[in-house]
Amino acid sequence: MDMMTKDQYIESLRKLHLNLYSFGEKVENPVDNAIIRPSLNSFAATYELAEDPQYEDLMTATSNLTGKKINRFTHLHQSTDDLIKKVKMQRLLGQKTAACFQRCVGMDASNAVYSTTYETDEACGTHYFDNFVKFWTDVQENDWAVDGAMTDVKGDRSLSPSKQADPDLFLHVVERTADGVYVTGAKAHQTGYINSHYVLVMPTISMREGDEDYAISFACPTDAEGITLILGRQSCDTRKTEEYNDIDVGNKVYGGHEVLVIFDHVFIPNEMIFLNGEVQFAGMMVERFAGYHRQSYGGCKVGVGDVLIGATALAGDMAGSAKASHVKDKLIEMTHLNETLYCCGIACSSQGTKTKSGNYLIDLLLANVCKQNVTRFPYEIARLAQDLAGGLMVTQPSEADYRNPATHDYIEKYLKGVASVPTEDRMRVLRLIENMTMGTAAVGYLPESMHGAGSPQAQRIMIARQSNLEMKKELAKKIARIK
Amino acid sequence: MDMMTKDQYIESLRKLHLNLYSFGEKVENPVDNAIIRPSLNSFAATYELAEDPQYEDLMTATSNLTGKKINRFTHLHQSTDDLIKKVKMQRLLGQKTAACFQRCVGMDASNAVYSTTYETDEACGTHYFDNFVKFWTDVQENDWAVDGAMTDVKGDRSLSPSKQADPDLFLHVVERTADGVYVTGAKAHQTGYINSHYVLVMPTISMREGDEDYAISFACPTDAEGITLILGRQSCDTRKTEEYNDIDVGNKVYGGHEVLVIFDHVFIPNEMIFLNGEVQFAGMMVERFAGYHRQSYGGCKVGVGDVLIGATALAGDMAGSAKASHVKDKLIEMTHLNETLYCCGIACSSQGTKTKSGNYLIDLLLANVCKQNVTRFPYEIARLAQDLAGGLMVTQPSEADYRNPATHDYIEKYLKGVASVPTEDRMRVLRLIENMTMGTAAVGYLPESMHGAGSPQAQRIMIARQSNLEMKKELAKKIARIK
Amino acid sequence: MDMMTKDQYIESLRKLHLNLYSFGEKVENPVDNAIIRPSLNSFAATYELAEDPQYEDLMTATSNLTGKKINRFTHLHQSTDDLIKKVKMQRLLGQKTAACFQRCVGMDASNAVYSTTYETDEACGTHYFDNFVKFWTDVQENDWAVDGAMTDVKGDRSLSPSKQADPDLFLHVVERTADGVYVTGAKAHQTGYINSHYVLVMPTISMREGDEDYAISFACPTDAEGITLILGRQSCDTRKTEEYNDIDVGNKVYGGHEVLVIFDHVFIPNEMIFLNGEVQFAGMMVERFAGYHRQSYGGCKVGVGDVLIGATALAGDMAGSAKASHVKDKLIEMTHLNETLYCCGIACSSQGTKTKSGNYLIDLLLANVCKQNVTRFPYEIARLAQDLAGGLMVTQPSEADYRNPATHDYIEKYLKGVASVPTEDRMRVLRLIENMTMGTAAVGYLPESMHGAGSPQAQRIMIARQSNLEMKKELAKKIARIK
Amino acid sequence: MDMMTKDQYIESLRKLHLNLYSFGEKVENPVDNAIIRPSLNSFAATYELAEDPQYEDLMTATSNLTGKKINRFTHLHQSTDDLIKKVKMQRLLGQKTAACFQRCVGMDASNAVYSTTYETDEACGTHYFDNFVKFWTDVQENDWAVDGAMTDVKGDRSLSPSKQADPDLFLHVVERTADGVYVTGAKAHQTGYINSHYVLVMPTISMREGDEDYAISFACPTDAEGITLILGRQSCDTRKTEEYNDIDVGNKVYGGHEVLVIFDHVFIPNEMIFLNGEVQFAGMMVERFAGYHRQSYGGCKVGVGDVLIGATALAGDMAGSAKASHVKDKLIEMTHLNETLYCCGIACSSQGTKTKSGNYLIDLLLANVCKQNVTRFPYEIARLAQDLAGGLMVTQPSEADYRNPATHDYIEKYLKGVASVPTEDRMRVLRLIENMTMGTAAVGYLPESMHGAGSPQAQRIMIARQSNLEMKKELAKKIARIK
């Protein structure tokens, strides 16, 4: 089969039977749900841009499994050039959607599972690699959307999985049969799940002996029996359902979502299992997935940052402050920080290396450095955006007041900035900045930059582990002439 | 009359006839409006705490006008000790409301207008000081709530008031009669206006010859004829109107509001005018008001910060992460930053000086330094709060899902942190952090910290002006032995 | 006796018989030693300015012990106003010397020992307070210079005093007689010791049972038998001994010093002992001294910062870059950071409280916040100074080359900035900036700002201890409506 | 000829007849001069490592001019891989020398002049490219050391070259003959000049019509007639000449130097001229050289940073503090910042593009972002190093005192940290940290990081120019649905 078009993709989602809840009700039709739809539009952009010839080089690749042209989001990276193109593709999509387009998690998961299953089989005589290659060939052939699921809810952070008061706080195998296993637990913060055909599940942390039931990786349809979904609510989410939902939403077309995914005794057949008790390989899978995903943030958030910088510059133009030296300087600083993130995304890609399985892994140290910066710079970029946008960003009247004849003319008159710019345009830009720094998009641009692909402390632990401090001490000893 | 009780205050507001619009409709009863009420509760706390004997020293003072005990929010500061108590009172109210309690603007305006009218009269032979003393005596006698209004909408920032395409973009006198003047224009971002009996208007910037019509200061009832109000919408504002509005609002009781105030040919009688064309004193009024208000932020935002630090510490306790060294260290950093702001608030108060009129003015340099830090540190405190709160802060299901029997047990089970803490309590704390860093309270804690009392560049200009660089050059020349 | 004049002070030092070593030799005459003399000049400025009527209010006080007028450096603070004047006096001296004037340690030690001995006596029935009052009355009467000595060399930081391989790595009592005790150990980083008549020794950390021999506080003459001093070398110290030592030293007149003080079986008579085994009061003494000394940095380093800001502004003037917006903005930032430190120094003074003994103690939380900022901002101020000074600050030829006829004209011609400014003046300013950011003065302005009065982590521990996190959690619980 | 060995290189320098002054005297033998020699050792390391087979891939390349194996420092980069290897070679040398090894400037200049002469010839019909290729072929054939010289002394920064009071403050042509030109002026801050055979001169800024005489690029021998050199003095430079110069110098073997180079009517023959009046290409040459050199800092300073991180970790080990969580965390932060710089160096290389002349140019935006970070992070790394090193770094006695029997045992005893580590080793490490953060090496690590390859504001101007703000505005308009 060829790659899906955007429309085919959207239609394909209508066939899913998701057991999804939101705002206290079952959602019968997620595709047309006002709250969820913008996230579907973002995801769909990964299909749409792949259809566009001008983006062919970034958006598509040649499969190492089938030799066919595939969407790069389903690609197993075959070179450092592939890794770099991945980052550029993500920046492009960030620029087009100003939101989380959600398809990276599955891409990153697949590359981690691919190389880990290979090495697990090599060490343990298992056959997970074959399982995965077969599954992933289907994914590529059908151009499926796949969600990668790692983060367990974790309960009490001071206790290991098996020490929790409730054993289900980390997803685990609760029953084993000849044909497969049953799993119970929950994966939190899942971006894109509702817009995906399959979910690819991985363990959430390194494991040790005794944790065998928790060392489980598998794939299953997103609407498998026993799975329940509860939508997370975002800042300002219901603006999308208001009568006047054009201006105040900021970004009307695109968005993201996060969902709590509950597995309640879900059956996984053997051929869809990629790790099952080999505790010593849980850590590798986690580390590689996290590494790929920390790289990803050096692309997608940079693209979102581009939009925020652009919006901030527009706000300055519209207020007549664009020529003030401090305004120009702050835009430079925003750009500088944003491009520093991009440097990190590019560098960890450029320094990638081939795994035993043949696909390419990013440089783990630099990928963690990348993500660590992502936990800081978007916050400063957002702060500067709020500085330059001015207070009106959070005090302007609602669109309903703008449409109300009793108040329209006052708003039109008094929210005018530069005389030649329509007031409505200025309102739109300010609402976009609000959206990206406090509203629905801020969820993706700020806390997700903080916690997605692991919280800052997780990166620091990896940086410590990868920093080769002993070698550095030797360098210093030599210079100081210490034996 | 004695000070009003909280209840008397609330009842007194019912008598106002505000011409207020919100979400496309006229608001007939602001007092009981779900969106506005939390801001009224915050304002009312300034009355309530003044009734409480344990806070008497901070919340009340002895009037220099009448010798009577008054609410400190109506006090004309008579010493540096008064200035320090002002800051402590503001921190207290920030701690109690975790929001903007709105009564500071009028307090700061009154102190600025008091001393400026005195010096204007001295120089120009006018009688504004008498006007103001009479008005303010009434305010103290009746314990009225007064909004201070400075910020004009300003239009094109590269043009002065008289050069704007529309002359009304800065509030100005449009007609003069024997009895008074008529004014037209708009004041933006007004916090507390809806909860106030009077508004005290000041010019927004320094003026020069030719700007006489814009050099106007006066007071009038908030419901004077010709005034129209349009409520600004805040992030997540409509959560307050949802069916389940207990958990998701974060801070159910308290909040703030901002309103666009339009003066359309409003009559101001002579006795309520405090500046009228004396362009050379517009700058003094602006600078002093801004100085007082920049001091204020060293109190109120510190109190709000205390709540955010507490909430973040609770989130750590509830997740079982409180003992991790990085968690403890980040709480220390949050505290350090918050107390640095407090130091600035205290210092500019402690170094205050007596004006010619007899009330005390804060140290202008240090007050500007104070506010400049407020444009930075709350953002870093909020970032650290989001770090420690974890992603659940922005991905947890709605309260409606928690109340829905179909999903309640799953949420109860999987959002549990430390076993002994009720899941609902954890949800409440996370929603509070969301509220303070992205929701309604974030409007007050972040962009208002940025732009309230003047945007960061305004402080930098004042810091430059007050920094006595020439004296510092002389010090350096002496050390370097340069003649 | 009246206060000493500057000259009397210098003469008095000639009578000391210090056992001092520097650069491999015994220093027979420290007063006229080229390396040490600038530090003496700084110390002497504390006498000189006290003679100057214009500084009388800041530089002198009325003794609570004798009722006489004394140098404020020997004063036991009797009010928050005294605490504030202390900070202002320190800023003044920093401005005049651009260096460490060294007399603060003794002032801070005396105030800590005064209140701690009072409370020790009250609890333990000892008579240390009388001892101390008698000693300090002599100090005031004679206007002696007193060094405060706290920091032990500490050996292995992971081990407590009694667990060290060498018991002398913390100063301790090694022999007890009826008349007094003998002590052995070393105090590191002593600023001002060489210029002092007495040293006031305190323990370096909190103690517990078993540490009795280490819980020792006393005073003795700086040239007591058994004491050996070894001068620490500073960056660029020997420039002071070069043939051409006018320009390249940067700050020719003033400087500081640090010395390692070794106590080798030194006898301390009973009447000079202020703590002797009461382990439970060691912590109080340490904490109070550290608190006072952390306050001090909010004065002295601010004064030094003033000079550095002035020098940087001059460098811009001389290079013709003063009008560039980024130059002006960086000077504002330097000022902002410097004044933030001052705010902290003022605030912890303003919020001081009376001790049982009657003198005033700074607010401990705010004093630690003050010092924590001092471990950061001077570094950023220095970085900005180096930014604005330009590379010439570190690449300009030596003064000897400037004086050499073979090269003088080239230097004169090519190091010229603005045509009207003598090249030599520009060289002087650049050398001053070098001196303050990399040379002898940098030792005081940077690493001493980092480590003096305790390293940054010490302040963080105190901030944690003083932050009242439980109260903040209660505030948050109330807002979140958690029982 | 083959590449020179380290020894051949050193011998070759003995044949130069430099007219060099330092400390008021003519330096007859720079090679064996104690102050200069460490810089020669650093430069020589670029020859020494090229002899070492293990570094062949990084240290050598195949010439596009001759097809022979050459030292990479003389290479015209033929691919992005070459650009990346350049950065890695620089990091390697930084690790080995902990200093500036000086050979990058010529490498960066040659690549800029190569492509610019090509495009100049193409546009203007000149023959500079041939001139340069011929010269550079000789350089490669002889493995010469070449200094690149750009920075003029500039005089009054507010005036253009031709408006200066003294026309020589920018280097310019003062006489033209049939065979060549005579130039006069001075180049400041030249690193490596004394250790080079040739100097490659470029203009210092963009030029416009009227500046023709200043638009001059050429090469000449470093000891050409009319050239005078005056050595810049560095912080702590004379420690290298002290009797005990083993410990206190910190880095005994390696260092850097800066020299003021004065051209006094120096003749340049036509065949060594690469730009001569084509004002429109001065900017291209400057921008490209600056770009390459800003990339370089993402390599060399990272290598130096590695040594400083290692030294700081050693200091912690030796003090017994290595296991404290804040110590580990600060080492992580230092590593994080250092690797962020490396990311920028790698990224701008990876994204390089081919010039018309065939060599590769780095990505200009990312190279400027790289350097901008270098003006910040080394300062923070140095601050953290001083934090962890402790105050002893600046207060420990001189080596002479350590060698003096009268004080040796005291120092041995009291400067001991962890019992198993020799005191002398600890002293060595602390002196190394002092050297790198305040001493001779600090000149290279800090102010040179600030100003080398252009001061921070220069990068900000380039970032603004390269940031494509209009495209970003379009992205924002599309998301905000503005026509």
Side-chain angles (χ1 to χ4, degrees), chain C residues 70-100:
Chain C
I70 54 172
N71 191 304
R72 185 176 294 281
F73 277 101
T74 66
H75 189 46
L76 300 163
H77 317 299
Q78 297 299 306
S79 64
T80 57
D81 194 49
D82 269 354
L83 291 171
I84 289 175
K85 282 182 178 161
K86 174 195 154 182
V87 168
K88 291 184 174 180
M89 170 179 73
Q90 291 169 314
R91 184 169 186 169
L92 174 69
L93 274 151
Q95 292 177 335
K96 297 292 187 188
T97 63
C100 174

Side-chain angles (χ1 to χ4, degrees), chain B residues 89-158:
Chain B
M89 170 179 73
Q90 291 168 314
R91 183 170 187 171
L92 174 70
L93 274 151
Q95 292 177 334
K96 297 292 187 189
T97 62
C100 174
F101 38 90
Q102 312 145 53
R103 204 173 175 184
C104 310
V105 203
M107 169 175 54
D108 293 337
S110 69
N111 275 280
V113 172
Y114 184 75
S115 66
T116 303
T117 51
Y118 186 95
E119 296 184 39
T120 308
D121 287 359
E122 197 182 63
C124 308
T126 45
H127 300 282
Y128 300 134
F129 185 71
D130 288 349
N131 284 356
F132 184 73
V133 167
K134 190 166 173 312
F135 165 59
W136 204 251
T137 303
D138 284 352
V139 168
Q140 290 184 347
E141 289 285 303
N142 293 284
D143 202 9
W144 280 330
V146 178
D147 176 54
M150 177 165 279
T151 310
D152 282 294
V153 290
K154 295 199 193 86
D156 186 332
R157 301 299 174 103
S158 66

Side-chain angles (χ1 to χ4, degrees), chain D residues 152 242 247 253 295 421:
Chain D
D152 282 294
E242 294 179 0
I247 297 178
V253 177
Q295 167 208 28
V421 175

Side-chain angles (χ1 to χ4, degrees), chain A residues 88 96 246 252 306 317 329 333 336 340 351 369 373 376 428 460 472-473 479-482, chain D residues 88 96 246 250 252 306 317 329 333 336 340 351 369 373 376 428 460 472-473 479-481:
Chain A
K88 292 183 174 180
K96 295 293 186 189
D246 185 18
K252 186 178 175 60
D306 286 331
D317 289 351
D329 195 62
E333 184 65 17
H336 168 68
T340 299
Q351 299 303 298
V369 165
N373 282 321
R376 301 174 176 182
R428 287 182 178 280
R460 293 181 88 75
K472 294 191 176 85
K473 288 182 194 171
I479 298 289
R481 283 147 298 119
I482 293 172
Chain D
K88 292 183 173 181
K96 296 292 187 190
D246 184 18
K252 186 179 175 60
D306 286 332
D317 289 351
D329 196 62
E333 184 65 17
H336 169 68
T340 299
Q351 298 304 297
V369 165
N373 282 320
R376 301 174 177 182
R428 287 182 179 279
R460 294 181 88 75
K472 294 191 176 86
K473 288 182 195 171
I479 297 288
R481 282 146 299 117

Side-chain angles (χ1 to χ4, degrees), chain C residues 159-179:
Chain C
L159 302 175
S160 66
S162 54
K163 296 284 161 36
Q164 299 288 331
D166 178 346
D168 301 341
L169 291 171
F170 286 71
L171 186 143
H172 62 138
V173 175
V174 290
E175 189 184 339
R176 297 178 184 277
T177 70
D179 299 333

Side-chain angles (χ1 to χ4, degrees), chain A residues 33 67 196 236 295 328 331 334 338 454 468:
Chain A
N33 179 285
S196 299
C236 300
Q295 168 208 28
K328 288 189 286 186
L331 286 168
M334 294 168 80
N338 203 41
N468 203 353

Side-chain angles (χ1 to χ4, degrees), chain C residues 74-272:
Chain C
T74 66
H75 189 46
L76 300 163
H77 317 299
Q78 297 299 306
S79 64
T80 57
D81 194 49
D82 269 354
L83 291 171
I84 289 175
K85 282 182 178 161
K86 174 195 154 182
V87 168
K88 291 184 174 180
M89 170 179 73
Q90 291 169 314
R91 184 169 186 169
L92 174 69
L93 274 151
Q95 292 177 335
K96 297 292 187 188
T97 63
C100 174
F101 37 91
Q102 313 145 52
R103 204 174 177 184
C104 310
V105 204
M107 169 174 54
D108 293 337
S110 68
N111 275 280
V113 172
Y114 184 74
S115 66
T116 303
T117 51
Y118 187 94
E119 296 184 39
T120 308
D121 287 359
E122 196 182 62
C124 307
T126 46
H127 299 282
Y128 300 135
F129 186 70
D130 288 349
N131 285 355
F132 184 73
V133 167
K134 192 167 171 311
F135 166 59
W136 204 252
T137 303
D138 286 351
V139 168
Q140 290 184 348
E141 288 285 304
N142 292 284
D143 202 9
W144 281 331
V146 178
D147 176 52
M150 175 165 279
T151 310
D152 283 293
V153 290
K154 293 201 194 86
D156 185 333
R157 301 299 174 102
S158 66
L159 302 175
S160 66
S162 54
K163 296 284 161 36
Q164 299 288 331
D166 178 346
D168 301 341
L169 291 171
F170 286 71
L171 186 143
H172 62 138
V173 175
V174 290
E175 189 184 339
R176 297 178 184 277
T177 70
D179 299 333
V181 300
Y182 289 84
V183 297
T184 288
K187 294 289 184 179
H189 324 308
Q190 291 305 301
T191 54
Y193 188 100
I194 300 174
N195 303 319
S196 297
H197 307 90
Y198 276 83
V199 59
L200 172 50
V201 172
M202 299 160 285
T204 203
I205 49 169
S206 293
M207 303 279 171
R208 57 186 79 175
E209 241 178 285
D211 293 333
E212 281 74 10
D213 287 343
Y214 296 90
I216 180 76
S217 171
F218 60 86
C220 69
T222 47
D223 57 356
E225 202 183 327
I227 293 180
T228 299
L229 313 172
I230 313 175
L231 188 70
R233 77 173 304 180
Q234 296 181 325
S235 177
C236 301
D237 43 17
T238 55
R239 287 196 191 178
K240 290 181 278 192
T241 66
E242 293 179 1
E243 183 186 352
Y244 294 104
N245 61 3
D246 184 17
I247 297 177
D248 288 0
V249 291
N251 184 347
K252 186 179 174 62
V253 177
Y254 299 107
H257 75 249
E258 299 82 23
V259 72
L260 177 64
V261 182
I262 295 139
F263 293 78
D264 196 346
H265 212 256
V266 174
F267 178 70
I268 310 297
N270 286 330
E271 62 270 21
M272 292 293 267

